[in-house]
Amino acid sequence: MIKSSISKLLTLSLILSLVCTFSLSAQQANSLLWEIKGKTSVQPSYLYGTFHIKDKRVFQFNDSLMNKLESCEAYAGEVSIELDSMQQLMRAILLPEGKSLKDFYSDKEYKIIKTYFEKLEKEGKSIAPFAALEKMKPFALLGIISSEYGNSEMESAMDEYLWNLAKSKGKEMKGVESISEQLNAFEKLPPQIVVEAIEEHEKSGKQIEKMIEYYSDENIEKLHDLIQKDKTAALYAEELLDKRNEVMAERIAKMTDTQPTFITIGAGHLAGKTGVLQLLKKKGYKVRPIMNSGKTNITDDKYAHWIKVSPENEPYSILMPGKPELIEQKINSELGSITIKGHQYKSAGTAQNLIYMMVYTKYPSTLIHSDMTDQHDTFFQNAISGILQKVSDSELLSQEAYLYKTYPGRKIKVAINNGQAIISARVVLIENRVYMMQAISTKEFAGNEMQEYFFDSFQASGLGVASKPETVNLAYNDNKPEDWVSVQIDDELSINMPIVPTEEVRNVEEEGLGNIEIKTMMVTLDSGSLFGVLNMTYPKGTFADSTQHQSTLHSTLYEMFNSFGSRPESEAGITYEGHNGFQGTSVLENNVQMTMRNFILGDRMCLLFALIKDKNKSESDIDHFMNSLNLNKVK
């Protein structure tokens, strides 16, 4: 086993943020930002050396960096850190089925590794339980050990921060290397490096602190001196640096010839006789340092790159870390077809929050409305149940009532993936619109500052879009047209119709309810107009809970509209001769007006429907029909 300082190897495991061999013939300028110009380049490209940690001390950028990034059409990171690339990475670092860390180490070495990572797990600093980590390839553990160095004030490491910033500005996104290429280099590291990393953790930490200091000063000469003293890093320089630098320089050259591109790679790849800068010079490219006249401390406003998401014609806005993708889905519910819209942003790399999501749904205001205070608890409980049903292996951790302005809401936390990830959510009911915000993180980052910033950035504007409608009071009217006839529906109900209807009675066995008698009465006129009655008698006690009547009536009405391929364009709660009901209207193809009205009468539900083709007669004929339902004998 090689016994020497491995602090640089740990840094190598973080995509070689700093490990490099500085040996250019001339003294290297103190800059991390470089301009690149080819023989055919019209506009310059830029190359920036990064440090793959979350310590805010390295987030003090060259004062020209943002302007240079803005001037480029494309952005290229060392690798693509989009979610699909990270998923590819996670698959690639897993050992084959039946293999574990025990196969690579002696009992003593395995115990050292197990003790260290179980301690991290107990302190809440590990990304996963040791039982999961021991299924990973040894080199993958170096990244977890390295994350212990420095501070972790920022949500993401510098590479991820700059990637998200460029993405939010609409740049074309690329990777200089592929995930597989980078992994091929790291897989050549011997397994014993993990044990050495643990044993020399304290010493390595001190060395990383020095590197942070020199990096923050852009003092690459001192970085060079520090790294040259490390013999262990030099053992793997050919595989981890030199060979990759040749590939990087070739691809960077092609990128800059194609379009002005802002490129970020680990600072360790920049300098030295086999570094990317020197290789570009040999290819005939002009490279010059962009000297630093001042620092821009990005931590003064770490949300500067967040963008405002404000859908057209929707009364809300929210901030997200980058440009999100659009979500739109139609689902069939008991209320009929409902459209869910919103936006989702998937974070790159190892950001504290993996996904940010904002979705909203508009419901019929007669069924769900923030004014219906007696329905709030039931509504929010159903919303929580919906989250739990959609995600397998989920567990509700907490829920808390809160107000957004004067509107009711709930703060929710749900554990998923065996408790390793947490969904933090806010659900708000504003009039007849439901807004749900979600941030998904690993367990150790639940409730972090970025989540709170995301939730608090939500703003609802243009309120008053849908006021809770007043209940319409209607009365029985037997003043039927001369040629209409009175029709008996059952022993207690009668109604007026244009002619004697056709009738059908059938019995349906409904699971959980029992036998339901359904009587259908229908009139179809030569004009194409249609009048109908659907009288359904349920088992005794079915409608005993009067608090559910409005919901039941509404869902039934929507099912009927759906059967005609429509949904209500206007709707209202009604009272008719002391009985509560529901009414909806819509216009179908060929300007056919459809109106439906239903009531719960004891153990019966009576539904009336009319489709009128003659626009001049539609309103009067519908009124004649609907308002002639005689309830005088109903007990």
Side-chain angles (χ1 to χ4, degrees):
M1 182 185 296
I2 301 170
K3 290 293 183 181
S4 61
S5 169
I6 66 150
S7 59
K8 309 310 172 300
L9 285 174
L10 295 177
T11 314
L12 285 169
S13 74
L14 294 172
I15 317 180
L16 292 172
S17 301
L18 284 171
V19 181
C20 51
T21 53
F22 292 89
S23 56
L24 283 174
S25 56
Q27 187 181 41
Q28 196 67 255
N30 281 333
S31 180
L32 295 168
L33 181 62
W34 295 77
E35 180 185 272
I36 305 171
K37 270 191 175 181
K39 295 177 181 178
T40 59
S41 301
V42 177
Q43 289 180 257
S45 292
Y46 298 92
L47 180 61
Y48 186 72
T50 60
F51 198 156
H52 193 78
I53 58 176
K54 298 180 180 180
D55 195 307
K56 70 180 180 181
R57 289 173 291 178
V58 303
F59 279 74
Q60 299 177 37
F61 296 137
N62 183 308
D63 59 356
S64 300
L65 184 144
M66 294 302 172
N67 289 335
K68 303 306 182 188
L69 172 60
E70 197 70 55
S71 69
C72 293
E73 296 174 1
Y75 179 93
E78 189 167 298
V79 292
S80 169
I81 50 177
E82 292 290 11
L83 189 60
D84 57 347
S85 296
M86 292 302 100
Q87 289 171 340
Q88 178 189 347
L89 171 64
M90 291 307 296
R91 290 191 296 269
I93 64 176
L94 293 177
L95 288 167
E97 189 71 29
K99 288 279 188 179
S100 75
L101 289 178
K102 284 185 177 181
D103 298 317
F104 298 88
Y105 301 101
S106 67
D107 291 343
K108 181 181 177 181
E109 291 170 335
Y110 178 78
K111 185 177 180 181
I112 291 171
I113 295 172
K114 186 173 187 286
T115 301
Y116 176 81
F117 282 103
E118 285 182 342
K119 180 175 179 288
L120 285 187
E121 182 182 349
K122 188 175 181 181
E123 294 172 352
K125 297 179 180 179
S126 180
I127 62 171
F130 182 69
L133 297 181
E134 66 176 345
K135 300 296 183 184
M136 292 182 181
K137 295 176 182 177
F139 76 87
L141 302 181
L142 289 175
I144 303 173
I145 299 172
S146 301
S147 66
E148 288 290 286
Y149 299 129
N151 302 314
S152 296
E153 299 100 334
M154 304 299 289
E155 182 191 20
S156 56
M158 181 191 296
D159 306 70
E160 297 161 18
Y161 175 85
L162 291 172
W163 178 279
N164 288 331
L165 177 62
K167 189 177 178 182
S168 73
K169 295 179 178 295
K171 305 297 182 184
E172 182 181 342
M173 307 301 289
K174 305 175 181 179
V176 178
E177 289 185 302
S178 69
I179 288 289
S180 60
E181 288 173 328
Q182 199 166 90
L183 290 177
N184 286 338
F186 281 99
E187 287 206 64
K188 295 176 182 178
L189 296 174
Q192 282 67 31
I193 283 181
V194 177
V195 180
E196 294 177 22
I198 294 171
E199 290 179 336
E200 300 206 10
H201 186 270
E202 183 176 350
K203 182 180 177 181
S204 300
K206 291 178 181 178
Q207 202 156 359
I208 293 292
E209 282 296 309
K210 269 294 179 189
M211 296 174 78
I212 292 173
E213 178 186 339
Y214 297 156
Y215 181 88
S216 299
D217 293 339
E218 298 192 40
N219 193 328
I220 57 179
E221 289 298 326
K222 286 188 177 181
L223 281 171
H224 163 67
D225 292 340
L226 183 64
I227 293 164
Q228 285 284 12
K229 295 175 184 177
D230 192 291
K231 296 180 182 179
T232 310
L235 290 174
Y236 306 102
E238 183 179 0
E239 290 294 338
L240 296 174
L241 283 171
D242 299 345
K243 290 183 179 179
R244 292 173 61 209
N245 287 350
E246 291 178 11
V247 175
M248 285 186 182
E250 183 67 28
R251 291 177 184 169
I252 289 171
K254 290 180 180 179
M255 288 178 183
T256 58
D257 285 342
T258 305
Q259 64 187 142
T261 306
F262 193 94
I263 303 151
T264 60
I265 59 176
H269 295 285
L270 295 181
K273 63 182 180 181
T274 58
V276 170
L277 293 174
Q278 187 68 8
L279 293 174
L280 286 171
K281 284 182 179 180
K282 288 181 179 179
K283 292 177 181 292
Y285 289 80
K286 294 180 180 179
V287 296
R288 73 175 184 89
I290 305 297
M291 302 309 294
N292 189 7
S293 60
K295 290 285 189 180
T296 299
N297 188 351
I298 200 65
T299 59
D300 291 341
D301 185 7
K302 58 186 173 184
Y303 302 105
H305 67 287
W306 284 47
I307 65 172
K308 184 177 181 179
V309 179
S310 183
E312 188 177 356
N313 300 323
E314 288 298 330
Y316 85 89
S317 67
I318 197 165
L319 297 177
M320 288 188 172
K323 187 177 180 180
E325 59 187 51
L326 183 67
I327 300 172
E328 184 167 347
Q329 182 182 12
K330 287 188 177 182
I331 60 172
N332 293 319
S333 73
E334 63 178 8
L335 305 178
S337 179
I338 292 175
T339 300
I340 297 175
K341 295 182 179 180
H343 292 83
Q344 175 177 270
Y345 177 79
K346 298 177 182 178
S347 297
T350 57
Q352 291 181 13
N353 299 306
L354 308 175
I355 294 176
Y356 296 84
M357 186 185 299
M358 172 76 207
V359 294
Y360 60 94
T361 309
K362 181 181 178 182
Y363 285 91
S365 58
T366 48
L367 182 65
I368 298 175
H369 198 282
S370 50
D371 287 350
M372 299 177 179
T373 55
D374 59 330
Q375 298 293 322
H376 288 175
D377 287 343
T378 300
F379 167 72
F380 286 115
Q381 196 55 52
N382 288 339
I384 294 170
S385 297
I387 296 175
L388 297 175
Q389 290 171 7
K390 287 179 181 178
V391 183
S392 60
D393 191 27
S394 58
E395 177 189 359
L396 178 65
L397 298 179
S398 65
Q399 62 171 306
E400 174 190 348
Y402 86 107
L403 290 178
Y404 171 75
K405 297 181 179 178
T406 60
Y407 296 100
R410 292 292 186 274
K411 297 179 180 180
I412 305 163
K413 275 190 169 55
V414 174
I416 59 175
N417 294 344
N418 293 315
Q420 293 306 305
I422 305 294
I423 299 176
S424 298
R426 302 266 180 98
V427 185
V428 183
L429 178 59
I430 300 180
E431 295 167 346
N432 68 327
R433 276 176 162 81
V434 179
Y435 299 92
M436 180 177 290
M437 299 152 268
Q438 294 185 21
I440 303 177
S441 67
T442 52
K443 179 175 64 176
E444 63 268 32
F445 293 124
N448 61 73
E449 178 189 334
M450 300 289 178
Q451 289 184 1
E452 295 304 311
Y453 184 79
F454 168 63
F455 293 139
D456 292 344
S457 71
F458 172 71
Q459 293 292 325
S461 59
L463 303 180
V465 179
S467 300
K468 179 183 175 182
E470 296 295 327
T471 300
V472 179
N473 294 307
L474 301 171
Y476 170 67
N477 183 356
D478 194 30
N479 186 23
K480 65 180 185 298
E482 292 183 2
D483 53 347
W484 283 40
V485 297
S486 178
V487 178
Q488 201 71 27
I489 300 173
D490 60 23
D491 293 341
E492 296 182 338
L493 298 176
S494 63
I495 195 168
N496 296 335
M497 302 183 81
I499 58 175
V500 176
T502 59
E503 296 185 14
E504 179 188 14
V505 177
R506 58 194 175 95
N507 289 279
V508 175
E509 194 71 23
E510 187 73 23
E511 184 177 355
L513 290 176
N515 183 70
I516 303 172
E517 182 186 274
I518 302 175
K519 183 176 184 178
T520 306
M521 307 173 70
M522 192 116 35
V523 167
T524 303
L525 302 180
D526 293 339
S527 63
S529 295
L530 182 149
F531 298 86
V533 176
L534 202 62
N535 193 47
M536 297 166 282
T537 304
Y538 288 78
K540 189 173 183 180
T542 298
F543 303 119
D545 185 0
S546 60
T547 63
Q548 298 298 313
H549 285 187
Q550 194 77 348
S551 174
T552 303
L553 289 168
H554 191 278
S555 61
T556 304
L557 200 74
Y558 263 67
E559 287 177 10
M560 285 296 294
F561 271 97
N562 280 336
S563 67
F564 286 93
S566 181
R567 63 177 297 163
E569 295 175 6
S570 64
E571 54 195 63
I574 60 174
T575 60
Y576 180 79
E577 296 298 311
H579 295 273
N580 292 325
F582 206 89
Q583 178 170 297
T585 62
S586 182
V587 177
L588 308 181
E589 294 181 2
N590 300 320
N591 290 320
V592 175
Q593 181 173 330
M594 178 167 63
T595 300
M596 295 189 188
R597 183 185 296 180
N598 61 351
F599 305 90
I600 290 176
L601 308 167
D603 293 322
R604 288 167 297 185
M605 181 184 294
C606 186
L607 186 144
L608 314 178
F609 55 96
L611 285 77
I612 309 295
K613 296 189 69 173
D614 188 343
K615 186 176 180 181
N616 295 325
K617 296 185 63 180
S618 62
E619 186 173 339
S620 59
D621 282 356
I622 289 171
D623 285 344
H624 289 318
F625 172 61
M626 298 282 181
N627 293 336
S628 68
L629 180 65
N630 191 341
L631 306 180
N632 291 333
K633 295 182 180 180
V634 175
K635 298 177 182 179

